[in-house]
Amino acid sequence: MTDIRQLQPANVWQWFADICSVPHPTFHEHQLADFITDKVKTDGQKFGLTVEKDAVGNLLIQKPASQGMEQHAPVAIQAHYDMVAQKGTGSNHNFETDPIETVIKDGWVWANDTTLGADNGIGLAMGLAVAFSDDIAHPPLRLIITSEEEIGMGGVQGLSPDWLQVPYLLNLDSEDSGELFIGCAGGRDITFSKTYQTQALNLTNQPLLTLKVSGLHGGHSGIDIHKGVANANLLLARLLSVAFQASPFGLVSLYGGTLRNVITREAEAVLVGDKQALQAVIDQETAIIKHELQFSEENLSIELVETDTQNSQPTAELSVLSAHDSKHIIDLLNAIPNGVIRMSDSFIGVVETSISLGVLRLEQGELSVKSLMRSLGESQKDALANKIQALADLADVAVAFSADYPGWLPDPSSYLLATGQTIMQDYFGKAPKIQVIHAGLECGFLKAKAPSTDMISFGPNIRSAHSPKERVEIDSVAQNFEILLTFLKQMPKVA
């Protein structure tokens, strides 16, 4: 079987196939919103559906209760409809114009060397399958579909609290079947910047070189931050530091990563230096790094090559930094904190606070370094921000903090938690694992806007989200759709 529309449950997979057929990377997802809106206004009429779209592209689909459940408490199903756009180095995929090509392999659905968008397209597909049905029991229903979740959570930030006037909300943006998520980390963006003086490129005495790190697995900068996944930006900084100590050079450009919430898979530096002297040191450090990462990053590649200026940017448009300023940048990159800062005391095995250096740019003397910090608590975010500010002050670089979003604190008295524990115990034959995730779920913003709404999150097995190895397990989709339907049946009656 190669057609995901033939998978079960058919209504979920048919919707997911439709979602994959419409390009929807973050900031370019509104074509998919139009597709869903048109479906509501045509096919959705027979199910009693109505739809609203707000100024930032969020959708609210409402559906009356099924027969016999009119007196049960209303419930919202919530998912986002944008996806992370990441592809392999050999892929020519254009996320703004091309559909996602799906592949069925060993019980999982993958994409063809790109992100799949199961985060959160499969949750969206489950919600739409409920809305466009006449044989699923449910109370009065709201399907809240948000935009721009993957970069800055712009959709949920602009969401009207009026849309959240329901006692219960089921978020379908989790990635581990058989687990219930009751809390999440908040986040804050960090951007370092500085403008350096440059000088005209002179290749008379030394060649133009490119140092490239590639072949890394990458991953999600929150849920994978503690797994030993290597960050190409950090490996590049380490190599540059060791190389500079042996033979100083001038930096021309730096390029690594495209998104803050992705652990960078590739990074490169263009520089002017003594290739022979640098090669010896790079080879030595490469052997050390490959030994360190032999089990976690078996495909790691590090190469130093002479740059062919005839087939790249004209040398007249290139400029180089002094050795002094080049060292300043290298020292800064090696000093910026990265990885797990602290584990939680309250939830064993859960990361409390972390930071990930996601995007690195140096072009024509303009430096930009973008990181994302996460924490379960606001005070921990503030404390880390103070450290970052101190580092920036000492390094004489500008730093800006933005796109702050709150965490979601667990509620042990939650009706949905107690109900979900019973549902999953009955379904799987064992108690579900109760999780607090080190990633930004929209429930943080939703809870801030609707503090009295009881919320929980669950979903099928999704692996390597935010990378070209993203995949979703077929059987777990069916399992979690059944769990969703059981939740809907068990909403309590209105007192």
Side-chain angles (χ1 to χ4, degrees):
M1 183 188 300
T2 57
D3 183 3
I4 64 171
R5 293 181 188 273
Q6 304 304 311
L7 298 173
Q8 297 296 325
N11 50 351
V12 174
W13 287 106
Q14 286 167 8
W15 265 110
F16 187 63
D18 284 342
I19 291 166
C20 289
S21 73
V22 182
H24 57 286
T26 307
F27 304 132
H28 300 277
E29 66 266 47
H30 299 294
Q31 184 180 346
L32 180 56
D34 294 340
F35 176 85
I36 295 170
T37 300
D38 290 343
K39 284 281 191 180
V40 172
K41 292 179 177 178
T42 52
D43 300 349
Q45 296 301 300
K46 62 184 176 183
F47 305 113
L49 303 184
T50 62
V51 62
E52 299 176 46
K53 184 177 181 181
D54 67 14
V56 292
N58 299 313
L59 299 179
L60 172 62
I61 298 173
Q62 298 193 72
K63 184 181 183 183
S66 58
Q67 187 173 359
M69 294 200 68
E70 295 86 353
Q71 301 307 311
H72 289 251
V75 63
I77 297 173
Q78 191 266 323
H80 66 84
Y81 69 99
D82 63 316
M83 67 172 286
V84 167
Q86 290 284 292
K87 60 184 179 181
T89 53
S91 173
N92 294 319
H93 187 88
N94 185 330
F95 283 95
E96 295 180 25
T97 59
D98 299 341
I100 298 297
E101 299 176 22
T102 56
V103 178
I104 300 173
K105 183 170 61 176
D106 299 327
W108 296 73
V109 173
W110 303 58
N112 182 15
D113 203 24
T114 71
T115 36
L116 173 64
D119 172 18
N120 184 220
I122 202 69
L124 174 58
M126 288 195 285
L128 288 167
V130 172
F132 285 79
S133 69
D134 55 11
D135 59 352
I136 293 175
H138 60 80
L141 182 69
R142 294 187 177 194
L143 178 55
I144 300 172
I145 308 171
T146 51
S147 65
E148 298 179 15
E149 190 270 353
E150 296 292 3
I151 304 176
M153 295 199 179
V156 71
Q157 289 193 66
L159 191 73
S160 169
D162 293 341
W163 287 16
L164 296 169
Q165 297 309 302
V166 289
Y168 302 104
L169 183 143
L170 305 172
N171 171 278
L172 303 181
D173 191 16
S174 293
E175 300 173 0
D176 292 283
S177 188
E179 301 184 0
L180 291 169
F181 291 80
I182 61 171
C184 70
R188 189 176 302 172
D189 288 354
I190 307 163
T191 302
F192 297 92
S193 61
K194 187 177 178 68
T195 300
Y196 294 86
Q197 292 294 318
T198 61
Q199 44 199 329
L201 197 61
N202 184 349
L203 302 178
T204 303
N205 299 318
Q206 292 181 325
L208 192 65
L209 306 172
T210 298
L211 175 61
K212 185 172 183 179
V213 177
S214 61
L216 301 180
H217 290 300
H220 189 291
S221 68
I223 60 178
D224 294 326
I225 196 69
H226 64 295
K227 295 180 180 178
V229 178
N231 184 319
N233 289 330
L234 301 182
L235 291 183
L236 181 65
R238 172 177 170 177
L239 289 159
L240 290 172
S241 180
V242 172
F244 192 93
Q245 292 174 44
S247 179
F249 52 79
L251 284 172
V252 174
S253 66
L254 295 168
Y255 186 94
T258 56
L259 296 170
R260 297 177 195 264
N261 59 356
V262 174
I263 298 175
T264 306
R265 305 191 317 275
E266 297 183 354
E268 68 175 41
V270 177
L271 55 97
V272 178
D274 182 335
K275 185 175 189 299
Q276 184 175 357
L278 292 172
Q279 188 73 67
V281 135
I282 293 296
D283 288 346
Q284 183 179 34
E285 191 68 15
T286 295
I288 295 170
I289 292 172
K290 285 191 171 183
H291 179 72
E292 292 173 358
L293 302 176
Q294 60 183 306
F295 300 113
S296 59
E297 297 290 357
E298 66 279 4
N299 297 318
L300 168 63
S301 172
I302 297 171
E303 56 182 350
L304 178 68
V305 297
E306 242 180 277
T307 304
D308 184 355
T309 56
Q310 291 184 343
N311 295 322
S312 61
Q313 190 175 5
T315 56
E317 298 179 14
L318 297 175
S319 56
V320 63
L321 273 65
S322 67
H324 176 273
D325 286 345
S326 297
K327 184 177 187 301
H328 184 264
I329 291 175
I330 295 167
D331 288 345
L332 172 66
L333 295 178
N334 280 282
I336 294 174
N338 193 88
V340 175
I341 303 298
R342 191 172 190 275
M343 300 298 289
S344 171
D345 293 332
S346 304
F347 302 96
I348 302 301
V350 173
V351 178
E352 177 199 84
T353 307
S354 75
I355 183 171
S356 179
L357 198 167
V359 183
L360 171 61
R361 296 287 184 276
L362 173 66
E363 298 173 318
Q364 301 295 325
E366 297 290 337
L367 176 70
S368 175
V369 182
K370 298 180 179 180
S371 296
L372 171 58
M373 70 164 76
R374 304 176 190 266
S375 185
L376 298 178
E378 294 304 298
S379 62
Q380 295 93 330
K381 276 196 297 181
D382 291 340
L384 182 53
N386 287 337
K387 289 179 179 290
I388 295 296
Q389 183 66 62
L391 170 62
D393 291 344
L394 288 170
D396 190 27
V397 298
V399 66
F401 301 95
S402 61
D404 189 276
Y405 57 91
W408 167 30
L409 293 176
D411 176 10
S413 65
S414 161
Y415 171 83
L416 292 180
L417 173 58
T419 302
Q421 287 176 302
T422 301
I423 292 171
M424 288 193 175
Q425 175 72 52
D426 292 344
Y427 190 90
F428 292 108
K430 62 180 181 180
K433 188 174 183 180
I434 309 304
Q435 290 277 40
V436 178
I437 189 172
H438 193 66
L441 290 177
E442 290 173 294
C443 288
F445 278 110
L446 296 170
K447 194 69 174 177
K449 291 173 179 284
S452 61
T453 298
D454 189 359
M455 302 177 187
I456 204 161
S457 181
F458 60 95
N461 286 325
I462 297 174
R463 296 294 176 261
S464 300
H466 298 190
S467 86
K469 295 184 179 181
E470 181 186 1
R471 57 204 182 273
V472 60
E473 187 182 37
I474 295 167
D475 287 347
S476 71
V477 172
Q479 293 166 356
N480 282 271
F481 190 57
E482 285 299 317
I483 289 166
L484 171 62
L485 302 190
T486 307
F487 258 118
L488 295 175
K489 287 185 223 176
Q490 294 194 15
M491 289 300 105
K493 287 189 176 181
V494 177

